[in-house]
Amino acid sequence: MGAMKTKNLLWALLFAVIVLGGVLVYRSLGKGEGTVAVVSVDGEVLERIDLSKVRTPYDIPVSTPYGNNTVHVEPGAISVTEADCPDHVCIYQGRLTGSGIPIICMPHRLVIEIEGGDIDG
Amino acid sequence: MAKTRKLALMALLTAIALTIFVIEAQIPALVPIPGVKLGLANIITLITMCLLGKKEAGAVLLVRVLMGAMFAGSPSTLLFSAVGGLFAYLTMCLTVGFFGENRLWIVSALAGIAHNAGQLLACVLVVKTPGVFAYAPILAASGVVTGVFTGFAAQYLLKALKKLKL
């Protein structure tokens, strides 16, 4: 019984490390440089926008075979402001200002990435 | 267990899993991270595996995933949920015998990681954007947290159900 308890504790410890490590690594991402945003659906690039050259904010309507999103472009940032998907996670992801973590709308297979300057990959 | 009895029980478990799945889909996202959800229907997969067997759990899961996409999801999310479900199911099959019914929380945590890994892999293949892998660390963390939670839920539910002598 004692050995089992130790083993359980080791598993709990391993899981704690995964959780803490995962959160820390995730938080350290998304602060990359780069200003060129790429909007793609199903892997096909729809728009490539240099956010540093944007002066006035504007919206891009994106229609996919799976649903519709509104992409909002402003100086230095890009976000999804409207979506007819059920979960709206892409809207909650907020404004993208640097490379590292893309905005994803899984139901609509829409990805918005900022191409990294010095980031690998 | 008599054949009819088993069939009825499987149908009941499928209906419960589907109900949980549909209700969970109505809850707004807890965190702004794609792919993160509690996965409460996983509790039913786990207890079906322990009460009836691996094949039976696979059948209940398959029907739940297909009907879940019909009721609460969309055809385009079916793929992600199916690949995630398959990865989680295989992980459960491989580990449940080793850990046993008193350590379902470990089985479930591993299955949670596997589910999110499968889902992420399917997503990357579909959108052909490797940058999506940036979500791997946080999805592993979320798989553990939700997996431990549903695993303990399944463990306690199983204990109560065994007293009922189904």
Side-chain angles (χ1 to χ4, degrees):
Chain A
M1 204 57 213
M4 186 68 96
K5 271 211 171 126
T6 313
K7 277 183 189 163
N8 284 353
L9 216 65
L10 283 176
W11 278 103
L13 203 67
L14 173 71
F15 290 148
V17 168
I18 294 175
V19 172
L20 275 175
V23 171
L24 287 177
V25 171
Y26 180 72
R27 294 190 73 170
S28 73
L29 296 169
K31 290 168 186 161
E33 296 187 1
T35 55
V36 178
V38 180
V39 181
S40 55
V41 172
D42 254 338
E44 307 245 329
V45 175
L46 294 182
E47 302 268 350
R48 191 180 287 270
I49 309 146
D50 190 342
L51 297 174
S52 66
K53 292 192 177 125
V54 175
R55 289 290 165 261
T56 41
Y58 61 97
D59 286 340
I60 309 171
V62 176
S63 294
T64 76
Y66 321 100
N68 307 303
N69 299 69
T70 303
V71 175
H72 183 67
V73 181
E74 53 195 301
I78 187 163
S79 54
V80 177
T81 46
E82 278 175 62
D84 56 7
C85 58
D87 58 17
H88 289 174
V89 170
C90 51
I91 299 174
Y92 301 145
Q93 280 179 277
R95 294 157 75 246
L96 200 62
T97 55
S99 66
I101 297 174
I103 293 177
I104 310 173
C105 176
M106 280 222 302
H108 298 171
R109 301 180 181 186
L110 169 79
V111 176
I112 305 174
E113 260 193 314
I114 293 188
E115 290 180 331
D118 52 338
I119 303 292
D120 52 305
Chain B
M1 193 181 293
K3 228 177 163 184
T4 320
R5 201 185 170 82
K6 190 160 127 184
L7 189 64
L9 199 53
M10 279 172 73
L12 183 65
L13 288 164
T14 308
I16 296 170
L18 193 56
T19 310
I20 295 174
F21 183 82
V22 170
I23 291 175
E24 198 190 324
Q26 311 307 315
I27 303 172
L30 304 170
V31 285
I33 300 164
V36 172
K37 58 178 283 190
L38 268 171
L40 294 174
N42 174 54
I43 297 170
I44 303 298
T45 314
L46 274 168
I47 65 160
T48 307
M49 192 171 279
C50 293
L51 285 175
L52 298 174
K54 287 172 186 164
K55 259 192 292 180
E56 288 77 2
V60 168
L61 175 66
L62 182 69
V63 175
R64 190 261 291 170
V65 166
L66 289 176
M67 293 184 78
M70 264 189 257
F71 289 135
S74 59
S76 71
T77 48
L78 171 62
L79 173 74
F80 307 124
S81 125
V83 176
L86 178 70
F87 273 50
Y89 172 70
L90 292 177
T91 306
M92 283 180 207
C93 286
L94 288 173
T95 57
V96 75
F98 178 76
F99 289 110
E101 289 176 7
N102 291 320
R103 296 201 290 166
L104 281 183
W105 63 277
I106 302 178
V107 175
S108 182
L110 295 173
I113 299 175
H115 176 278
N116 287 356
Q119 195 167 50
L120 187 64
L121 201 65
C123 183
V124 169
L125 290 176
V126 165
V127 300
K128 300 174 199 83
T129 312
V132 175
F133 273 128
Y135 283 100
I138 196 71
L139 286 180
S142 128
V144 168
V145 173
T146 60
V148 167
F149 178 74
T150 54
F152 272 119
Q155 235 170 278
Y156 290 120
L157 184 59
L158 194 64
K159 262 187 208 151
L161 284 177
K162 290 223 157 155
K163 281 187 199 146
L164 286 176
K165 296 192 178 64
L166 293 166

